[in-house]
Amino acid sequence: MEIIMHLSDDQVVLVKDLGSAKEIWDTLKERHEHSDRTMKINILQRLVTMEMNESDSIDNFIRNWQSVLDAALSAGKDIDEEMRFDLILGALPDSWDSFVTMHGNDDTSKVKDWLAKMRREELRRNKLKLQLDESTAMADTIRSLRGNQQEQRF
């Protein structure tokens, strides 16, 4: 049979003893359907278990998350907006719990609107961190100056 000449070595091993083209086709179809199902399961598992690290930016996390979502959609999985919303909120780190609590019951009709809210929240957090860093640096400078003044007295 000419069909065998077009198969990879691992596929030939599966079908070399089969008699008809239909048997070969059915065997290959069953093998690849199983691997497609395994691939779909792996993609969904990645999507459900994906978590944002504390050090990740929202944009970086969403880019990675969107890549996995696109793979799931390409594999034929239908994931509606509400589920996407739940998956994104569930993937946020613990430090975002107050954000999730505050916004978790809001309208989930547009994931892109939520991404904008998350970006604004990240900007707010970065600004607070910068202010805290500046305050800490100023406090360290004051402590250092006070220490120098006390040394000069003695």
Side-chain angles (χ1 to χ4, degrees):
M1 279 183 258
E2 189 176 319
I3 194 169
I4 290 181
M5 292 189 297
H6 299 282
L7 301 177
S8 65
D9 291 342
D10 62 325
Q11 292 172 329
V12 170
V13 171
L14 286 173
V15 300
K16 67 180 178 179
D17 296 328
L18 300 177
S20 71
K22 179 167 179 18
E23 288 176 314
I24 292 172
W25 175 254
D26 289 343
T27 300
L28 292 172
K29 182 179 174 188
E30 182 179 321
R31 165 83 184 257
H32 289 285
E33 281 179 350
H34 175 70
S35 65
D36 284 349
R37 176 166 298 282
T38 302
M39 180 191 68
K40 288 177 187 179
I41 290 168
N42 289 337
I43 291 169
L44 286 175
Q45 220 169 17
R46 284 179 48 212
L47 191 61
V48 169
T49 60
M50 190 172 228
E51 292 182 356
M52 180 179 152
N53 294 322
E54 292 286 349
S55 60
D56 279 349
S57 70
I58 289 295
D59 286 333
N60 187 46
F61 166 71
I62 294 301
R63 191 174 19 263
N64 292 335
W65 184 85
Q66 187 67 50
S67 168
V68 177
L69 176 66
D70 290 345
L73 296 174
S74 294
K77 292 299 176 186
D78 183 30
I79 301 168
D80 64 23
E81 289 287 316
E82 184 175 358
M83 178 59 75
R84 294 176 194 191
F85 171 77
D86 292 343
L87 289 169
I88 290 172
L89 288 185
L92 293 174
D94 291 344
S95 66
W96 284 71
D97 283 352
S98 61
F99 177 84
V100 172
T101 300
M102 188 178 348
H103 297 289
N105 291 322
D106 291 357
D107 178 26
T108 61
S109 61
K110 299 283 183 203
V111 169
K112 68 180 182 176
D113 294 339
W114 274 99
L115 299 181
K117 284 182 183 183
M118 291 167 63
R119 286 183 182 107
R120 283 192 303 271
E121 175 66 11
E122 181 178 51
L123 286 173
R124 184 189 73 78
R125 288 167 178 253
N126 288 342
K127 184 178 178 182
L128 287 174
K129 184 181 181 312
L130 182 61
Q131 289 172 346
L132 179 62
D133 291 347
E134 288 173 354
S135 296
T136 301
M138 188 178 296
D140 289 345
T141 301
I142 291 169
R143 276 193 291 277
S144 175
L145 289 173
R146 284 184 182 159
N148 288 341
Q149 286 176 351
Q150 287 177 356
E151 287 175 11
Q152 289 175 359
R153 287 185 193 163
F154 295 112

